[in-house]
Amino acid sequence: MNTVRAPRLLAHVALTTALVVTAAGCTPAADPAADPSGSASTTPSPSATPSPPPPPPQDIELTLLAAGDVLTHKAVNESATGADGIDYSPLLSGIDPWVAGADLALCHLEVPVAPPGVAPSGYPVFRAPGEIVRDLGEQGWDGCSTASNHAADGGYDALAATLDAFDKAGMGHVGTARDKQEARGAQFYELDRDGRTVTIAHLSATYGLNGLEPPRGTWSVDIIDPARIARQARAARAAGADLVVASLHDGVEYDTEPTDHQRAAIRALARSRQIDLVIGHHAHVPQPVERLSGGPEGDGMWVAYGLGNLLSNQGADCCVPASAVGLLMVADIVQPPEGRTRVTGVRWAATTVDRAAGHRLRSTRDALARPDGAQLTTAELQERLLIAQEAAGDGAKEQDRPPTSTGEPPRVVPRTR
């Protein structure tokens, strides 16, 4: 290979060099500007043009996606079962773009996983096939909250099997714990953007356990206690969290109106000024989305009181029509170069499950625009969209398209055990 060298340019030559013929050959004549030693003098070349200064640091903008309850009823499991085994991916795939487009995606698994050697079961005592965790992870969910009224359905073995399944899938989890040390830690997610790291902590708690006791003492399932949640959030901030999100499993089933207990607990969290965002579950129907006073530095705290169902077998024939409706919550997060990381806004999108089409989960607006083999009629889809709109209220706007990811998926920080 030939190497081409660039000529070196002299910046200045004092006089033109004269040639003097001698007996020995040609030599240059003396240069009047030469230094006393007789060597030629040149002026040093000027320094290179300075590089432009780097651009000033910019705001980091992220989106957090949250969804409603995942309930593996028997009929849902049957729809997921084929010749090659259990696979929930075809059921979930209708919201793939929403999950893929979020910078951080948090689901809510309401039911524990069946431990090894125990058959899965549905309502009223749930033990889910382990494939549900695998397939949530493959879809792109980064972690799940696990504190719910069904968290103790399968005892300690099912609780541990659930968290083992999340670990195997590379997902985060919070709300239940295998030992006291794990119970003390929030779930942290680290997102690297533009040479900086945004750390988000997730907490989770439930109102109760359907009359059961926590499998290994109170530490094994977090029960709603606003003062304790605020302490957990404070500890998470001390450990490096820039933002703290709390998932609360609370309310009355099939009631769109939040209960006094829900409102009191959430207002207490807002007053604590330790929580940036509250995500609600349990009612199985959508509930309002709004911004409360309080929150960190007193600039407000967003809450989705209830996101309804993400995947279930519920609907008008068993429960209420709104139980076939869910909300995807999209929160906008901004970290300035200096100052506090904040939730700057929250939006929502409606989802529904087409049970007749094999429990196929869809964005409701997407199903209206592209039926793609749906068994639901246009009128049914419009009715479900209206249910979501009326339940969510005027506190937040509807979002009609998936978010767009701004970088690599988050690092899931293992909870301390």
Side-chain angles (χ1 to χ4, degrees):
M1 178 177 69
N2 294 325
T3 301
V4 178
R5 298 181 183 275
R8 180 180 179 183
L9 300 177
L10 298 177
H12 174 72
V13 177
L15 295 173
T16 303
T17 303
L19 297 178
V20 180
V21 179
T22 65
C26 296
T27 60
D31 184 350
D35 65 24
S37 65
S39 54
S41 174
T42 61
T43 302
S45 55
S47 59
T49 303
S51 299
Q58 302 295 310
D59 288 353
I60 294 174
E61 298 181 353
L62 305 169
T63 55
L64 182 154
L65 179 75
D69 302 346
V70 175
L71 281 164
T72 54
H73 291 105
K74 181 180 178 182
V76 175
N77 297 337
E78 290 172 349
S79 289
T81 302
D84 297 325
I86 299 175
D87 186 0
Y88 295 90
S89 297
L91 282 60
L92 297 167
S93 64
I95 61 165
D96 280 351
W98 290 84
V99 182
D103 292 299
L104 177 64
L106 300 176
C107 50
H108 177 63
L109 184 61
E110 180 162 355
V111 296
V113 166
V118 176
S121 59
Y123 180 83
V125 179
F126 285 94
R127 297 180 184 86
E131 288 84 355
I132 185 61
V133 175
R134 177 201 68 193
D135 295 338
L136 287 169
E138 289 180 355
Q139 188 177 31
W141 296 96
D142 300 300
C144 267
S145 52
T146 57
S148 80
N149 59 314
H150 288 287
D153 278 11
Y156 178 79
D157 288 346
L159 182 153
T162 305
L163 305 190
D164 290 346
F166 279 116
D167 288 344
K168 184 178 180 181
M171 298 173 67
H173 49 78
V174 70
T176 55
R178 289 163 288 198
D179 56 47
K180 291 182 180 180
Q181 189 173 5
E182 185 174 50
R184 286 193 286 269
Q187 177 62 63
F188 289 86
Y189 300 91
E190 297 176 342
L191 297 103
D192 294 333
R193 299 291 187 275
D194 299 332
R196 309 205 308 262
T197 299
V198 181
T199 302
I200 298 176
H202 190 199
L203 301 169
S204 169
T206 178
Y207 76 93
L209 295 169
N210 292 340
L212 300 175
E213 293 296 322
R216 290 280 178 95
T218 56
W219 54 264
S220 57
V221 182
D222 277 337
I223 303 299
I224 293 173
D225 176 351
R228 181 173 184 270
I229 294 170
R231 290 195 299 271
Q232 290 176 313
R234 193 175 295 110
R237 292 186 187 278
D242 298 302
L243 198 88
V244 181
V245 178
S247 291
L248 299 186
H249 195 90
D250 199 5
V252 171
E253 292 183 341
Y254 317 124
D255 193 342
T256 298
E257 181 64 23
T259 65
D260 291 344
H261 185 269
Q262 276 179 282
R263 292 190 182 277
I266 291 168
R267 286 172 180 160
L269 293 181
R271 289 194 301 270
S272 77
R273 299 199 172 189
Q274 296 298 319
I275 305 296
D276 296 272
L277 176 68
V278 173
I279 306 167
H281 303 101
H282 175 63
H284 304 306
V285 296
Q287 293 184 319
V289 181
E290 59 188 32
R291 185 173 178 268
L292 304 180
S293 59
E297 298 187 5
D299 55 2
M301 184 190 79
W302 281 96
V303 53
Y305 284 95
L307 296 180
N309 287 328
L310 181 68
L311 181 64
S312 80
N313 187 47
Q314 293 184 335
D317 55 346
C318 80
C319 313
V320 295
S323 63
V325 179
L327 299 180
L328 294 175
M329 186 201 72
V330 181
D332 297 315
I333 297 169
V334 173
Q335 184 189 76
E338 296 181 2
R340 188 176 65 83
T341 304
R342 296 170 293 116
V343 176
T344 59
V346 165
R347 286 154 288 121
W348 60 270
T351 64
T352 193
V353 174
D354 189 339
R355 294 192 298 165
H359 294 88
R360 188 180 179 190
L361 173 64
R362 299 290 302 277
S363 157
T364 310
R365 284 202 177 275
D366 182 62
L368 280 164
R370 290 173 290 277
D372 295 339
Q375 297 298 307
L376 293 168
T377 66
T378 298
E380 288 172 323
L381 289 168
Q382 289 173 336
E383 179 186 7
R384 294 183 184 191
L385 178 60
L386 181 61
I387 287 172
Q389 291 170 334
E390 292 180 342
D394 299 326
K397 293 182 178 180
E398 182 182 358
Q399 178 157 330
D400 60 2
R401 66 186 64 185
T404 301
S405 175
T406 63
E408 294 297 314
R411 284 192 301 277
V412 178
V413 179
R415 291 168 67 196
T416 304
R417 291 198 65 193

